Amino acid sequence: MLYAKIVVGLAVSGPFDYIVPAGLTAKIKAGARVWVNFGTRRIIGYVVGLTRKSEIKNLKLILELIDEYPILDKKLLLLTKELSVYYCCSWGEAIETAIPDGLRKGRIVKNGDVSTFPEPSARKVETSPFLIHDLDGQARWDMYIAEIKDALENKLSAIILLPDIPDALRARDMLNKQLGIAAQLLYRKQPKELEVWLNIKNSTDAKVIVGTRSAVFAPLTNLGLMIIDDEESSVYKQDQAPHYHAREAAFMRAKLNR
């Protein structure tokens, strides 16, 4: 019998074991969403692992598989796990802070909307965060642009975080003009947020993502550079649980992606 390790977006420890129905054993994968009964509620769960053994008795069956193709890749699962330990929240809460609202609410994603590109192997380089101190706006953006050019020339993607949406919009337009690219904007509750998120996830091309705090979780598979502008700004700290800081999440992600 196959069992799934499942976490939920509530302040409860996990993962929890559920029985995988026979009809789903060939389809279910780590990183997929499912519907489960949790207490008296029917809620979304996130599959974080599969096993052939469980020590728990009287387990419940998974009710329904939402995703035949995982929406969460291995690195995002690892990042959200580390985030949950560091910020003392549940793994499910960390996952839900990293994905669009539509996914948290159970919106169906068509199979063709989620690609299954193999993840590139980790590059043999060391993560090297550094601080640019006291440079004026133009000087530091000249440095940002040089770093972004270098990433793109090496077929790697970049994430640039800004304190607010107007700043992100201006930065995107400036980068598009100066680099001749089509940088994408990503922020929480933007129009068509899920469609933008899926477009980023399904592309193997090097991309430049510009956004606010939550863009630190942009679903890129070839990440090579992260820039946090005005990193001392208080807006990079999320007020509601989990109270993560985008700078710390960026350090975690940089280490995972080498």
Side-chain angles (χ1 to χ4, degrees), residues 110-129:
K110 296 178 183 178
N111 291 348
D113 291 340
V114 180
S115 298
T116 54
F117 298 123
E119 293 186 52
S121 58
R123 288 167 288 125
K124 302 300 182 182
V125 297
E126 291 300 321
T127 299
S128 54

Side-chain angles (χ1 to χ4, degrees), residues 20-170:
V20 178
L24 299 181
T25 56
K27 299 178 180 179
I28 195 166
K29 295 178 178 65
R33 297 171 298 159
V34 293
W35 285 106
V36 295
N37 283 326
F38 192 83
T40 59
R41 299 169 59 184
R42 183 179 186 268
I43 63 175
I44 290 175
Y46 305 90
V47 180
V48 296
L50 297 165
T51 181
R52 291 288 177 181
K53 294 182 179 180
S54 176
E55 302 299 324
I56 311 300
K57 298 186 182 299
N58 302 318
L59 293 176
K60 297 177 181 178
L61 281 162
I62 290 173
L63 300 176
E64 183 182 347
L65 176 64
I66 302 174
D67 307 305
E68 292 188 13
Y69 296 94
I71 58 158
L72 305 168
D73 63 28
K74 182 179 179 181
K75 285 197 175 75
L76 187 54
L77 286 175
L78 289 172
L79 175 61
T80 51
K81 175 61 175 175
E82 186 172 348
L83 204 73
S84 73
V85 172
Y86 190 85
Y87 288 106
C88 299
C89 64
S90 77
W91 194 351
E93 287 178 305
I95 287 173
E96 291 204 333
T97 204
I99 60 175
D101 188 58
L103 295 179
R104 297 194 298 272
K105 291 181 177 178
R107 179 170 164 183
I108 301 295
V109 176
K110 296 178 183 178
N111 291 348
D113 291 340
V114 180
S115 298
T116 54
F117 298 123
E119 293 186 52
S121 58
R123 288 167 288 125
K124 302 300 182 182
V125 297
E126 291 300 321
T127 299
S128 54
F130 61 92
L131 176 68
I132 302 172
H133 184 60
D134 274 351
L135 287 182
D136 65 25
Q138 186 56 52
R140 73 173 184 267
W141 274 99
D142 287 345
M143 185 174 287
Y144 294 168
I145 289 169
E147 293 290 337
I148 294 166
K149 280 183 177 178
D150 184 64
L152 292 174
E153 286 171 0
N154 286 283
K155 302 188 184 306
L156 297 170
S157 294
I159 294 174
I160 299 93
L161 302 185
L162 284 301
D164 54 41
I165 296 170
D167 283 341
L169 283 165
R170 285 191 291 270

